[in-house]
Amino acid sequence: MDVLIVGAGAIGAASAWRCAQRGLTVTLVDPEPGRGAWHTAAGMLAPITELHYTETPLLTLNLDSLARYASFAAEVSEESGLPTGYRETGTVAVAWDGADLAALRDLHAFAQRLGARAELITGRELRTLEPAVAPGLPGALFAPGDHQVDPRLLHAALLEAGRRRGVQTVLSNASIVTDGARVTGARLSDGTVCSAGTVVLAAGCWSASIDGLPYGTAPPIRPVKGQTLRLRLPGPPLLEHVVRGAVKGTPIYIVPRADGRLVVGASTEEAGFDRSPRAGAVYELLRDAQSLVPELGEAVLDEVCTGLRPGSPDNAPLVGAGVLDGLVLATGHYRNGILLTPVTADGVAALITYGALPEVLAPFAPNRFADVNGSIERHLITNGGGT
Ligand code: GLY
């Protein structure tokens, strides 16, 4: 085959579909696609309201991917016959108190300097925009371009679009097969070796622990646990926009779906590969969501969901050629995997087809961590092997 993609999450499924559209033969390999971070993600497409001051290089990439979303979602739906839940709702980041409002003013000035769309609104304007938000809040930042998609619908549509283009999905673990410094394919759980012109590593938080990668070549990815809740309220939808905030410093967001269901998220926990739901996180999410939108106290709690974000040392993804020939990385998207799905898939397909990544992905080449990998390798050699 031309391309074997390890990991059938949103990034892997979208990359497979884009590659197949270009006439490549593609296989997706994943032991359990449903464990991917996409299954827990709320699907906020929020470059502005999720902006962190230390992550400005990422903003350009996030805005680029957001600009692709409307046509990406339409094309996935057209090719799959399935909805994606893409909605141009806009987002309000509400201030909990005066200190929050000052922080939102800073964010507004910062976003404006970077040319991003955002508007400060008063508490009164906030209540007009979203009457269900708690009274008395001092104001908000409105980002009319921060939208949402339903990751579960999107993922199903991507798999179906890929299937219709001939993508094969194999439920199996995979270990990387090399020939010298070249990756030549992957070995499945039943021992079958699949040869491929290119192997794409898109295994999310498991990308560093795939068997078969030589010492020093695994990407520096770690799991960062997140919990989300699915709520439901009878009657008309409670909110029109995504609502975010920080209640006494703890971030919280509420993402309203078109049918009235709501996704509340998310905890951020360094807990290794543990995916068990933590009672305290559920309590804090419900408490803070209800502080922002009191009526949520009446909602039905449909689901508690736990996933593992693929964190990288600088919170930005690794997209591009790996240190081994024949290997492409598409991993480490941390909090922005769903937002960055279109640009990553386009980039992977362009790299494999034409040998070049779009310019906007250049700062996210995996080799920016060559020193990290080098030190890991040196450490392992010095210590006579590793775990
Ligand atoms: N992007 C939302 C989250 O990571 O919780």
Side-chain angles (χ1 to χ4, degrees):
M1 75 197 74
D2 296 316
V3 186
L4 185 143
I5 300 182
V6 180
I11 300 286
S15 301
W17 170 57
R18 284 301 199 204
C19 287
Q21 278 184 319
R22 284 159 180 73
L24 301 169
T25 51
V26 187
T27 297
L28 272 170
V29 184
D30 195 314
E32 190 191 344
R35 71 180 177 170
W38 62 270
H39 192 254
T40 301
M44 281 178 303
L45 310 174
I48 307 304
T49 49
E50 205 160 348
L51 181 61
H52 291 242
Y53 293 111
T54 50
E55 298 171 9
T56 40
L58 195 51
L59 179 68
T60 311
L61 185 67
N62 287 349
L63 288 171
D64 180 288
S65 201
L66 179 65
R68 294 171 195 247
Y69 237 101
S71 60
F72 172 80
E75 198 181 340
V76 178
S77 282
E78 194 184 311
E79 292 218 359
S80 64
L82 295 171
T84 64
Y86 173 72
R87 296 182 73 206
E88 300 197 339
T89 49
T91 297
V92 275
V94 307
W96 178 250
D97 54 23
D100 256 2
L101 192 58
L104 286 179
R105 279 200 194 100
D106 286 348
L107 180 60
H108 179 241
F110 184 60
Q112 284 201 314
R113 278 203 300 279
L114 298 169
R117 282 166 70 206
E119 185 191 334
L120 281 169
I121 58 174
T122 63
R124 188 184 289 265
E125 288 166 334
L126 169 63
R127 291 270 293 164
T128 307
L129 203 63
E130 282 297 354
V133 166
L137 298 181
L141 183 74
F142 177 43
D146 277 16
H147 300 313
Q148 63 160 294
V149 70
D150 184 331
R152 295 181 182 181
L153 295 179
L154 176 69
H155 185 257
L158 284 168
L159 285 183
E160 177 60 15
R163 193 190 66 76
R164 292 186 183 189
R165 289 269 180 183
V167 174
Q168 307 273 342
T169 301
V170 178
L171 298 180
S172 170
N173 283 306
S175 59
I176 303 295
V177 175
T178 53
D179 181 2
R182 181 168 184 86
V183 170
T184 56
R187 183 175 286 101
L188 307 182
S189 313
D190 66 2
T192 310
V193 173
C194 302
S195 299
T198 305
V199 172
V200 179
L201 185 52
C205 74
W206 292 276
S207 298
S209 43
I210 295 292
D211 285 343
L213 285 170
Y215 280 147
T217 64
I221 304 297
R222 71 184 198 287
V224 182
K225 183 172 169 179
Q227 276 178 239
T228 54
L229 311 175
R230 261 86 182 155
L231 306 183
R232 178 168 40 92
L233 267 172
L238 187 62
L239 300 171
E240 274 188 33
H241 307 83
V242 175
V243 173
R244 306 180 57 105
V247 178
K248 297 179 190 153
T250 307
I252 183 89
Y253 50 79
I254 306 160
V255 182
R257 301 287 190 232
D259 63 2
R261 288 173 304 123
L262 301 128
V263 184
V264 172
S267 67
T268 301
E269 304 168 49
E270 298 281 351
F273 287 93
D274 170 41
R275 280 196 293 153
S276 41
R278 189 173 60 83
V282 176
Y283 162 71
E284 286 153 20
L285 290 171
L286 287 174
R287 179 197 62 197
D288 294 344
Q290 208 180 327
S291 300
L292 288 189
V293 180
E295 224 177 306
L296 287 179
E298 303 304 318
V300 175
L301 175 58
D302 271 339
E303 188 183 341
V304 175
C305 195
T306 305
L308 301 173
R309 304 175 184 89
S312 74
D314 59 5
N315 297 341
L318 285 71
V319 182
V323 286
L324 300 167
D325 287 343
L327 183 68
V328 167
L329 269 61
T331 188
H333 293 74
Y334 190 36
R335 290 189 311 268
N336 295 302
I338 299 300
L339 171 59
L340 292 176
T341 292
V343 72
T344 303
D346 289 347
V348 167
L351 180 61
I352 295 172
T353 316
Y354 310 117
L357 274 178
E359 193 61 25
V360 71
L361 280 163
F364 305 98
N367 66 10
R368 73 186 186 279
F369 296 119
D371 280 355
V372 177
N373 285 332
S375 353
I376 292 169
E377 193 167 18
R378 278 194 296 282
H379 170 84
L380 291 169
I381 290 165
T382 314
N383 292 284
T387 53

